[in-house]
Amino acid sequence: QVQLVESGGGLVQPGGSLRLSCAASGSIFSINAMGWYRQAPGKQRVLVAEITRGGSTKYADSVKGRFTISRDNAKNTVYLQMNSLKPEDTAVYYCNSQSLGNGYRYWGQGTQVTVSS
């Protein structure tokens, strides 16, 4: 089993920046890819960004050019740098891992990001 612990959420003004962190533990050897999802109130959870075992990245169109996903293998940690934040980015952000072989997904507890004046 993989455990994911998130940090870095909070309240920021429009145009501001935040960096989310996700530390993985447990069966880390089983992770094929990691990503960030978000869910606004009353909305479906959607993919924001992901990074594969080989280092390839993918972003939702709504965050391209503003968000960057990266990893630090020595710390078993994935980051999401969020710049030029908009009120529409307000959501609970979830870290996610995909397992090798069966593709099973694990989720972090979620961290609230609020963009408001």
Side-chain angles (χ1 to χ4, degrees):
Q1 186 168 304
V2 175
Q3 293 82 43
L4 304 172
V5 179
E6 301 161 342
S7 62
L11 173 65
V12 295
Q13 294 185 347
S17 298
L18 281 175
R19 188 174 77 157
L20 306 182
S21 299
C22 175
S25 61
S27 301
I28 299 172
F29 64 90
S30 70
I31 298 176
N32 183 56
M34 296 188 69
W36 289 93
Y37 290 68
R38 68 186 182 188
Q39 187 169 25
K43 305 284 286 186
Q44 189 174 1
R45 189 175 301 182
V46 296
L47 175 70
V48 176
E50 65 179 5
I51 185 166
T52 68
R53 196 177 189 90
S56 298
T57 58
K58 180 181 179 180
Y59 298 91
D61 288 341
S62 60
V63 306
K64 285 182 179 178
R66 300 188 298 121
F67 291 10
T68 303
I69 188 169
S70 62
R71 66 186 181 189
D72 185 338
N73 290 335
K75 297 181 179 180
N76 297 320
T77 300
V78 173
Y79 304 95
L80 184 67
Q81 178 67 47
M82 304 185 294
N83 298 326
S84 302
L85 283 162
K86 306 174 181 179
E88 298 163 38
D89 296 318
T90 296
V92 178
Y93 284 70
Y94 296 90
C95 184
N96 167 265
S97 70
Q98 183 184 53
S99 297
L100 289 165
N102 61 14
Y104 190 84
R105 292 186 179 272
Y106 295 91
W107 298 90
Q109 81 286 353
T111 184
Q112 177 70 46
V113 172
T114 302
V115 185
S116 177
S117 299

